[in-house]
Amino acid sequence: MASVMKCRHLNKNQLGGVIFGCTNNTKSECVTKKLFGLPALHFSYVRNIEPGLPLFLFNYSERKLYGIYEAVSSGKMYIDSYGWTSDGSERTRYPAQVQIRVRLECQALSETLFKPIIVDNYYTQNHFLFELDHVQASKLISKLTSLAFAPSVYTPQNPPKLSPVKQRFPLSIQRKESQAPEQPYFADDFPNSDDPFGTLGKSDDPLCLNGDNLLMEPSLANKNAEPQEKDFIHMKLKELAQHRQYSAAAITGQSEEVTYMGDVDLEHETYENGMSTLGNWNSESPCHSLDSYTTIAQLCQEMEELKAFKQEQTRKIGTLEKKLAEAELEIHRLRNVCMRFESVPETSMTIGAASGNETPVEFPDLSELIFLLGGYDGVSWSSALHSFSPVNDVLKSLKPMSSIRSYASVARLDKELYVFGGGDGSLLYDTVESYNPVNNQWTLRPSLKRKKGHLASATIHGKIFAVGGGNGAECFSDVEMFDSDVGRWISTRSMLQKRFALAAVELNGALYAVGGYDGIDYLMSAERFDPREHSWSRIGSMSTRRGCHSLVAMNEKLYAVGGFDGVEMVPSVEIYEPRVGAWMSGEPMKQSRGYSAAVVLKESIYVIGGLVANEVLLDTIEHYKEGEGWEITQSRSVGKKSFASAIVLHKD
């Protein structure tokens, strides 16, 4: 039975403060990282935390209460997914989190001093509820303030900034399109020994669960969590007055107890002759100077930054709510797909047959599968390997690659998949690894001669040719060849032109390299490599400039599909017939797209995912068959995907 969450159920207006927990082992991490956290069940009230709300930290190793802290973010789930863990190998047990700052450093209160203030919150001798109403929070602040350390120079702190996730595009696309969407930043959680709330539970779900393990509305749905600007500034000015009084006391050598100035009427303060008179301050006070104007200006600037931060968070909330709705719809449809697939008779073959401790992975006929590697789904870069059955719209996970890999290239050699080059969104690789579908295992192979991404490849007569690409600073015309008998990559005849984000394919024992970017412009040109003559020769040019496009061979013809023409993604298709030696226009796709993964399966072309523009990813698949034209397939199993690689393995 799920544990029942004990809480006061205070609404946002009633909530005056929140107590978080720590131990001697985790207190330093909480304060250093400026992040507090509680178990997921506490999110019912942590979600009501707004910037500026007073917070306190209870160290249950020594039974003392520390403060005074305040929130600088709204309460959220999984700000840091791996906090308060020994090595980050498992997700945090305390995902209901808030970022904090120190409002005032005070001596800790022993339990005998703070227990009378929150006695109504105790439900056992040693356990108490962490929600505080305004009266309790005010009394705790007053008590702690009386034990405050002499303050140093007060420095307002700015709200946290989000770091953008960088994507690597061809150079001209970088000039025309913005970077990828920002992702949430991270923080942490605490250990579970001597849990004072008795509600510890481990959850890997980024959504909050209630006591019955039912989904609760996520914190990002709190659209109305904006603090009132007037109240926030009022609170900051009170804090300023409080700090000024401490400074005056310290300078004049006063030793009497300092009391909390929560009753100072700052809304009726007056300004005479350019000087501020707060409460009953003495104009002779050493603290009474023009420095206060500088601090107030800093506070105003901080408020503006906070408003901008909240506006950005509101925008992200809208985006995440939309994604949540899409995810719920996808889950519903996937259930239907699974039910339909389970009803299919078991006439399947096994990939990854049991060897040692390996678990068999069952699939339909291997010749009906498309293998998808790596890529980007709009949120994260991937190291995943999946098999996709377009007939059943079923995606199955296989053993992932050894590293995240996108804008790489893939080829088949000796019944294995070889993937090489690419990167993780910021770093490029020269590494190569191969996948054996029989035992579901990856093997590291000899590395390329240099790091590169956005390259192309094809296999000819038992040798893999890695063609073109670039390193972000320059474009390559290089060609490297891998011969498994030699066991390393060998430089071979370079192309006639530098080509970055090109496409390549094998047809009738020859290698074709088409389009790309040469560092100055996108290309219409194409060239052909004949291994018998060991030389490249030009063939007819396309009518459209293309980079980031796909190239496949079907029915003795080449199909150049979609891509970027230097201005925008295009849906156009051009067809090359080697016997004629010229390109002709084909039927365009239904949707403009580039950075797609394309394969030929059973005399049909499948173009999977891609980008319409930067930050606009596609989750559709287009299918083409001669005589039938293009058709969009509403696949719900693959989802959004770009910068991925794809290949088909046929039965021998």
Side-chain angles (χ1 to χ4, degrees):
M1 176 181 293
S3 60
V4 177
M5 169 62 187
K6 294 181 173 63
C7 60
R8 297 182 62 184
H9 302 290
L10 300 179
N11 61 37
K12 192 177 300 184
N13 294 329
Q14 295 170 328
L15 189 66
V18 173
I19 298 174
F20 286 75
C22 70
T23 66
N24 287 337
N25 295 329
T26 60
K27 180 177 181 292
S28 175
E29 185 176 354
C30 293
V31 176
T32 301
K33 292 189 175 181
K34 297 185 178 179
L35 185 102
F36 293 167
L38 288 170
L41 293 178
H42 291 259
F43 188 59
S44 61
Y45 61 86
V46 170
R47 65 184 299 171
N48 291 331
I49 294 176
E50 297 178 341
L53 188 76
L55 303 176
F56 308 88
L57 189 62
F58 175 65
N59 185 334
Y60 49 85
S61 296
E62 57 187 25
R63 308 297 293 184
K64 290 184 178 180
L65 189 71
Y66 289 81
I68 305 167
Y69 306 95
E70 74 176 31
V72 296
S73 75
S74 300
K76 301 176 184 178
M77 290 292 288
Y78 291 101
I79 295 177
D80 185 339
S81 298
Y82 301 95
W84 298 287
T85 58
S86 59
D87 57 1
S89 61
E90 59 181 7
R91 299 193 77 184
T92 181
R93 296 186 179 184
Y94 304 91
Q97 300 169 359
V98 63
Q99 291 181 305
I100 64 97
R101 78 173 184 90
V102 178
R103 178 189 290 185
L104 183 64
E105 292 187 357
C106 307
Q107 298 179 38
L109 293 177
S110 65
E111 192 168 18
T112 56
L113 294 178
F114 72 78
K115 185 173 183 178
I117 297 175
I118 63 168
V119 65
D120 292 338
N121 284 26
Y122 277 76
Y123 58 93
T124 70
Q125 183 65 26
N126 296 316
H127 296 83
F128 54 89
L129 304 178
F130 279 29
E131 296 166 274
L132 303 174
D133 56 36
H134 290 282
V135 174
Q136 292 174 322
S138 179
K139 288 182 178 179
L140 282 179
I141 290 172
S142 181
K143 190 68 175 177
L144 284 164
T145 301
S146 68
L147 301 174
F149 298 110
S152 57
V153 178
Y154 172 60
T155 304
Q157 301 184 18
N158 295 329
K161 306 293 184 184
L162 300 182
S163 299
V165 176
K166 296 182 180 178
Q167 294 188 27
R168 192 177 285 270
F169 293 96
L171 303 180
S172 67
I173 293 185
Q174 290 178 347
R175 294 195 298 267
K176 296 177 181 294
E177 299 179 341
S178 62
Q179 287 186 325
E182 295 177 344
Q183 287 189 336
Y185 43 92
F186 296 96
D188 313 342
D189 310 350
F190 0 112
N192 62 358
S193 61
D194 302 323
D195 172 32
F197 7 92
T199 57
L200 283 178
K202 186 173 181 180
S203 172
D204 290 328
D205 191 342
L207 297 176
C208 182
L209 301 178
N210 65 14
D212 297 320
N213 287 328
L214 299 177
L215 287 176
M216 297 174 60
E217 183 181 2
S219 65
L220 293 176
N222 289 334
K223 293 183 179 178
N224 299 321
E226 292 242 11
Q228 293 294 326
E229 181 177 353
K230 178 180 177 182
D231 293 340
F232 189 85
I233 293 176
H234 188 195
M235 178 195 70
K236 289 292 185 180
L237 290 175
K238 281 186 177 181
E239 182 181 335
L240 173 63
Q242 178 183 334
H243 275 275
R244 293 300 181 189
Q245 187 181 52
Y246 294 148
S247 298
I251 293 173
T252 57
Q254 295 175 1
S255 60
E256 64 268 25
E257 179 177 291
V258 181
T259 58
Y260 177 59
M261 295 183 62
D263 297 325
V264 175
D265 187 2
L266 294 177
E267 291 188 351
H268 294 87
E269 67 180 291
T270 61
Y271 293 84
E272 299 176 357
N273 300 322
M275 301 295 288
S276 172
T277 57
L278 290 175
N280 59 356
W281 279 5
N282 187 336
S283 60
E284 302 296 328
S285 170
C287 298
H288 191 72
S289 70
L290 291 175
D291 288 345
S292 62
Y293 293 107
T294 301
T295 304
I296 292 173
Q298 290 175 328
L299 288 173
C300 292
Q301 179 182 357
E302 181 182 355
M303 188 63 206
E304 290 301 316
E305 292 176 349
L306 182 60
K307 287 170 63 179
F309 176 72
K310 293 300 292 183
Q311 289 173 357
E312 177 66 15
Q313 290 300 98
T314 301
R315 184 186 68 80
K316 292 179 182 296
I317 286 169
T319 300
L320 291 174
E321 283 181 334
K322 181 179 178 182
K323 288 183 179 180
L324 179 60
E326 291 175 352
E328 290 174 346
L329 178 61
E330 184 172 352
I331 290 170
H332 176 73
R333 296 190 180 185
L334 282 175
R335 283 200 189 102
N336 295 334
V337 170
C338 291
M339 292 175 63
R340 185 172 71 249
F341 186 65
E342 289 172 355
S343 65
V344 176
E346 295 186 3
T347 57
S348 61
M349 64 174 294
T350 299
I351 293 180
S355 60
N357 295 325
E358 294 298 320
T359 302
V361 182
E362 293 187 354
F363 287 105
D365 190 338
L366 188 62
S367 65
E368 297 181 354
L369 297 178
I370 299 171
F371 288 82
L372 297 171
L373 301 92
Y376 179 69
D377 62 4
V379 177
S380 60
W381 303 93
S382 174
S383 62
L385 170 66
H386 293 99
S387 71
F388 172 59
S389 171
V391 175
N392 299 306
D393 190 19
V394 172
L395 192 75
K396 285 188 176 286
S397 296
L398 300 174
K399 186 172 183 178
M401 295 176 284
S402 62
S403 59
I404 292 171
R405 200 182 291 267
S406 299
Y407 38 84
S409 193
V410 62
R412 183 191 179 194
L413 179 65
D414 298 332
K415 299 181 181 180
E416 294 191 11
L417 308 181
Y418 280 69
V419 60
F420 34 88
D424 64 358
S426 59
L427 298 176
L428 290 173
Y429 307 144
D430 58 4
T431 56
V432 180
E433 50 189 317
S434 68
Y435 173 76
N436 188 334
V438 174
N439 59 16
N440 192 32
Q441 290 295 310
W442 286 93
T443 303
L444 288 176
R445 298 295 183 180
S447 297
L448 296 167
K449 300 182 77 64
R450 60 175 168 177
K451 298 176 181 180
K452 61 183 73 174
H454 293 285
L455 69 168
S457 66
T459 302
I460 304 175
H461 303 315
K463 299 177 177 62
I464 298 176
F465 289 80
V467 183
N471 60 7
E474 59 179 320
C475 304
F476 302 147
S477 61
D478 300 0
V479 179
E480 299 185 41
M481 180 185 72
F482 178 74
D483 186 336
S484 57
D485 293 333
V486 177
R488 62 186 176 90
W489 291 88
I490 303 170
S491 295
T492 186
R493 184 67 59 89
S494 295
M495 293 182 291
L496 302 176
Q497 195 162 12
K498 294 180 179 180
R499 298 181 187 274
F500 175 78
L502 76 162
V505 72
E506 180 272 339
L507 179 61
N508 295 329
L511 172 61
Y512 292 83
V514 177
Y517 179 73
D518 65 358
I520 300 175
D521 208 348
Y522 285 84
L523 306 172
M524 295 184 288
S525 64
E527 48 190 298
R528 176 181 184 271
F529 178 76
D530 189 335
R532 295 169 298 182
E533 300 176 1
H534 198 67
S535 64
W536 289 89
S537 59
R538 295 188 184 278
I539 63 173
S541 294
M542 299 178 290
S543 60
T544 302
R545 301 178 189 274
R546 295 180 195 275
C548 326
H549 57 299
S550 300
L551 185 71
V552 295
M554 184 175 71
N555 297 335
E556 303 296 316
K557 291 176 285 190
L558 305 182
Y559 288 76
V561 181
F564 186 75
D565 66 358
V567 178
E568 61 184 355
M569 298 294 182
V570 297
S572 62
V573 176
E574 295 189 58
I575 305 171
Y576 180 79
E577 292 198 47
R579 291 171 296 182
V580 178
W583 294 87
M584 65 183 71
S585 295
E587 179 185 343
M589 293 185 291
K590 303 291 186 184
Q591 172 70 64
S592 299
R593 63 180 78 210
Y595 293 111
S596 304
V599 297
V600 174
L601 180 65
K602 292 190 173 181
E603 297 187 350
S604 295
I605 300 173
Y606 289 88
V607 183
I608 302 169
L611 293 175
V612 177
N614 190 28
E615 300 188 25
V616 183
L617 279 71
L618 297 170
D619 60 359
T620 58
I621 298 174
E622 293 208 40
H623 167 264
Y624 175 83
K625 192 166 188 177
E626 285 188 342
E628 298 180 7
W630 290 96
E631 178 184 354
I632 291 183
T633 302
Q634 297 294 335
S635 170
R636 290 295 172 181
S637 62
V638 174
K640 294 181 179 180
K641 187 173 288 291
S642 63
F643 304 104
S645 304
I647 196 169
V648 168
L649 289 177
H650 298 287
K651 277 185 174 181
D652 292 333

